[in-house]
């Protein structure tokens, strides 16, 4: 590209392969890309949302309703489109649920902004208006949020259940919601901190979703090391040793210099004695079960079996940590300083068959701080999608316990915000007022889409919703099953406050960032090599650098 200097001499500042799009062309290219991303997940929103089947280049198939999963699998490479994908990723990290909502709002904000740009409202003005509106929206939501305490198990179950609505877990959501709440409550530390990583998920193909269960303890993907060890130990003291029950070979290599058979025997005896001593150390502290991070020598296995100790070798260090949290034990690095107090306890430790695999179950633990959810389903795809729904659900329960605030669902908060923001717009002067109004309009996309996806008339639904909110019913939302407007709080459709505040915040930030770009300078080919046939000139047609989106558009059409 060239820039004309005063003397009329062109100055080349960009390399031959670079592409540059400026001004309104850049804006409209980016807006189109962002909107296309949102459009691609819109049909999955809500209880009646559809699923997507994503096939990767090697033929792997994912069937999902989860916004963030769809966008990650889609392999989008347009930079502005990726900013919208990031919105869903932030949402996933911060709350775990609401990834579709966040992206759909971002897309609608871009759509509204596009109209304002056409009316010559400056992007900076739109950005300011959007930010003010988002700020106000957060206030309104916070003011109207419902308090939930940690011992309100019933509400927590409703929250867990709402997050699963419309997903693979739906058919058994009553059972699963209870399991999720119990799991999160179990792994909550005394100081209130929660790491849902401590809820392990074990997927089993076979059996029905209804047979899913929660194990208060850990399931380790190992078998006992020796067949002469017990299958099952009850009331087990569990030792966790991150080391090897072996005499290190190097030591022998260094010392043995055999000149006659007696000498060899002596060294072997010596080795055996050391192994026996190690096992004795475990026996002395009263271990019934031992998980060893490294190997266990055959001779040590023999002694352990003779003592009736169930031993597992090569346990991963993450498994050892999990076991420590599950049993209340401590992982020791050396057997020399193991003490009775280092041992954990489990009501039962045993090898069991699960979905055709043998695993070690460490269960019946009182106050286990690490638990395992066994999810069952008919096929691999079913259990994979079940896992994603459960993860959303774990996220919302955790968020609710952290924040203690929830909102009614079914489009209730968005309808309320839309009304209140229109009022608020009057108090905002200048052209920003238009942006605030546009923001209010954009939020309607959620109830509208919920209605559309449920096969309802979106206009009728919006009119009903607005009338009820005008009448002061904050919790009035759309029942996607009957099409009626009902009190969502009474219905038990509730979501954490943060699902909505985070969605609005990230969507606004991403939209604003995209709007403020008026110049796209790409080193190399923005279109990812797909413009090979029309690559005859330096000039790129407006909106042409969107090979990534081209592929996606095709995909959107196919679905
Ligand atoms: N029973 C219900 N009736 C009406 N609306 C519901 C009901 N259950 C959930 N919803 C609404 O559905 C929307 C959530 O839909 P969905 O779970 O498909 O998308 P998401 O949470 O935004 O994204 P994802 O779950 O993919 O991360 C929310 O607006 C929620 O209030
Ligand atoms: Mg959801």
């Amino acid at each position: 590209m060239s820039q004309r200097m005063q003397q009329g001499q062109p100055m080349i500042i960009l390399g031959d392969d670079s592409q540059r799009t400026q001004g309104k062309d850049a804006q409209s290219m980016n807006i189109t890309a962002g909107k296309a991303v949102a459009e691609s997940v819109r049909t999955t929103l809500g209880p009646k949302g559809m699923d997507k089947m994503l096939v990767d280049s090697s033929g792997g198939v994912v069937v999902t309703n989860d916004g963030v999963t769809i966008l990650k699998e889609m392999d989008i490479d347009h930079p502005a489109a990726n900013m919208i994908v990031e919105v869903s990723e932030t949402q996933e990290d911060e709350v775990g649920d609401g990834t579709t909502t966040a992206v759909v709002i971002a897309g609608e904000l871009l759509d509204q902004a596009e109209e304002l740009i056409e009316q010559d409202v400056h992007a900076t003005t739109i950005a300011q208006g959007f930010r003010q509106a988002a700020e106000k929206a957060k206030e309104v939501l916070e003011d109207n949020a419902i308090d939930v305490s940690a011992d309100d198990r019933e509400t927590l179950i409703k929250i867990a259940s709402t997050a699963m609505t419309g997903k693979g877990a739906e058919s058994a959501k009553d059972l699963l919601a209870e399991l999720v709440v119990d799991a999160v409550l179990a792994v909550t530390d005394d100081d209130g901190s929660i790491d849902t990583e401590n809820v392990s998920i074990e997927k089993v193909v076979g059996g029905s979703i209804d047979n899913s269960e929660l194990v208060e303890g850990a399931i380790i993907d190992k078998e006992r090391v020796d067949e002469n060890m017990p299958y099952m130990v009850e009331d087990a003291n569990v030792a966790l040793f991150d080391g090897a029950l072996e005499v290190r070979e190097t030591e022998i290599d260094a010392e043995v210099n055999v000149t006659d058979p007696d000498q060899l025997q002596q060294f072997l005896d010596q080795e055996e004695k050391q192994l026996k001593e190690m096992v004795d150390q475990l026996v002395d502290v009263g271990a019934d079960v031992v998980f060893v991070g490294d190997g266990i020598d055959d001779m040590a296995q023999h002694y352990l079996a003779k003592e009736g100790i169930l031993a597992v070798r090569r346990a991963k260090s993450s498994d050892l940590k999990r076991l420590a949290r599950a049993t209340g034990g401590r992982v020791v690095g050396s057997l020399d300083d193991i003490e009775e107090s280092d041992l954990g306890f489990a009501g039962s430790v045993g090898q069991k068959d699960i979905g055709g695999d043998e695993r070690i179950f460490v269960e019946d633990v009182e106050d286990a701080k690490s638990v395992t959810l066994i999810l069952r389903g008919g096929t691999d795809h079913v259990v994979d999608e079940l896992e994603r729904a459960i993860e959303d659900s774990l996220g919302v329960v955790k968020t609710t316990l952290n924040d203690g605030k929830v909102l009614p669902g079914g489009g209730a908060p968005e309808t309320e915000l839309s009304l209140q923001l229109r009022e608020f717009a009057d108090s905002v002067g200048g052209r920003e007022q238009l942006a605030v109004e546009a923001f209010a309009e954009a939020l309607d996309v959620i109830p509208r889409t919920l209605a559309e996806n449920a096969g309802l008339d979106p206009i009728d639904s919006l009119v009903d919703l607005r009338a009820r909110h005008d009448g002061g019913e904050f919790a009035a939302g759309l029942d996607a099953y009957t099409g009626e407007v009902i009190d969502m709080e009474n219905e038990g459709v509730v979501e954490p406050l943060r699902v909505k505040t985070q969605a609005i915040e990230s969507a606004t930030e991403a939209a604003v960032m995209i709007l403020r770009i008026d110049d796209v300078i790409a080193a190399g080919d923005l279109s990812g090599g797909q413009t090979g046939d029309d690559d005859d000139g330096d000039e790129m047609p407006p909106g042409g650098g969107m090979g990534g989106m081209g592929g996606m558009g095709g995909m959107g059409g196919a679905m």
Side-chain angles (χ1 to χ4, degrees), residues 161-194:
S161 161
T162 301
M164 282 188 259
T165 311
K167 304 229 187 302
E170 171 127 29
S171 63
K173 71 176 181 178
D174 292 341
L175 165 74
L176 292 171
E178 284 196 37
L179 298 184
V180 163
V181 170
D182 289 342
V184 177
L185 289 175
V187 302
T188 305
D189 282 323
D190 297 336
D191 64 0
S193 61
I194 302 166

Side-chain angles (χ1 to χ4, degrees), residues 44-47 65-67 97-101 162 165 167 392 409-411 446 450 478 480-481 488 493 495 500:
T44 70
L45 186 81
N65 177 281
D66 194 43
D97 190 22
T99 63
T100 310
T101 302
T162 301
T165 311
K167 304 229 187 302
D392 282 11
I446 298 299
L450 286 174
L478 186 66
Y481 301 97
M488 283 289 158
V493 178
E495 299 175 284
K500 297 296 173 197

Side-chain angles (χ1 to χ4, degrees), residues 189-209:
D189 282 323
D190 297 336
D191 64 0
S193 61
I194 302 166
D195 185 352
T196 48
E197 295 281 309
N198 290 316
V199 181
S200 310
I201 292 179
E202 193 69 44
K203 293 182 281 186
V204 183
V205 177
S208 107
I209 298 183

